[in-house]
């Protein structure tokens, strides 16, 4: 089994699974409710749900004959935390570039000003 971050990214790679997560962000739903907006079979939606469940992005309960699905956003927080370090890297890089360009403009009176 891949590491949790890789499993999360693999699950998020599919637009149908991302749409399912977006729907579950509004509240729990049955497989039938999740399948309704898609032109794919209910078994195909169930396969997507299995991938999401294995990645730890959803949980599936039991209510009589139904197995309602619910978003488990903890793994999404891990993705967000991982991406945050790269956001900081790019922001710092752009800040350094801005400072460098400002310094260049000070030294060249013909350089365009912001």
């Amino acid at each position: 089994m891949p590491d949790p971050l890789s499993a999360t990214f693999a699950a998020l790679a599919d637009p149908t699974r991302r749409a399912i997560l977006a729907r579950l962000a509004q509240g729990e739903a049955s497989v039938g409710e999740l399948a309704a907006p898609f032109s794919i079979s209910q078994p195909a939606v169930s396969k997507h749900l299995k991938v999401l469940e294995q990645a730890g992005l959803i949980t599936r309960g039991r209510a009589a004959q139904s197995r309602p699905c619910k978003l488990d956003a903890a793994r999404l927080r891990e993705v967000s935390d991982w991406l945050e370090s790269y956001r900081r890297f790019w922001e710092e890089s752009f800040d350094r570039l801005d400072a460098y360009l400002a310094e260049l403009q000070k030294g060249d009176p013909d350089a365009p000003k912001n």
Side-chain angles (χ1 to χ4, degrees):
M1 173 155 202
D3 65 279
L5 193 59
S6 295
T8 302
F9 276 119
L12 294 173
D14 186 275
T16 301
R17 291 193 284 267
R18 291 192 305 271
I20 289 170
L21 290 176
R23 166 54 187 87
L24 291 175
Q26 300 170 10
E28 68 179 43
S30 69
V31 175
E33 291 169 327
L34 293 170
F38 303 106
S39 59
I40 57 176
S41 67
Q42 207 163 333
V45 171
S46 291
K47 287 180 182 181
H48 284 296
L49 293 173
K50 184 175 181 181
V51 171
L52 291 169
E53 189 174 22
Q54 288 174 339
L57 292 166
I58 68 167
T59 57
R60 295 174 83 176
R62 278 239 192 268
Q65 300 288 62
S66 176
R67 292 206 52 197
C69 300
K70 184 177 176 182
L71 178 66
D72 184 353
R75 287 282 168 85
L76 293 176
R77 173 50 109 184
E78 292 172 15
V79 169
S80 177
D81 291 345
W82 183 81
L83 289 171
E84 178 63 20
S85 64
Y86 292 97
R87 185 191 62 78
R88 281 192 308 269
F89 167 80
W90 284 109
E91 282 182 357
E92 291 168 4
S93 296
F94 288 133
D95 289 346
R96 286 192 305 274
L97 179 59
D98 284 343
Y100 176 72
L101 292 174
E103 195 61 36
L104 285 178
Q105 287 179 345
K106 285 181 191 175
D108 182 0
D110 295 328
K113 306 274 189 230
N114 287 342

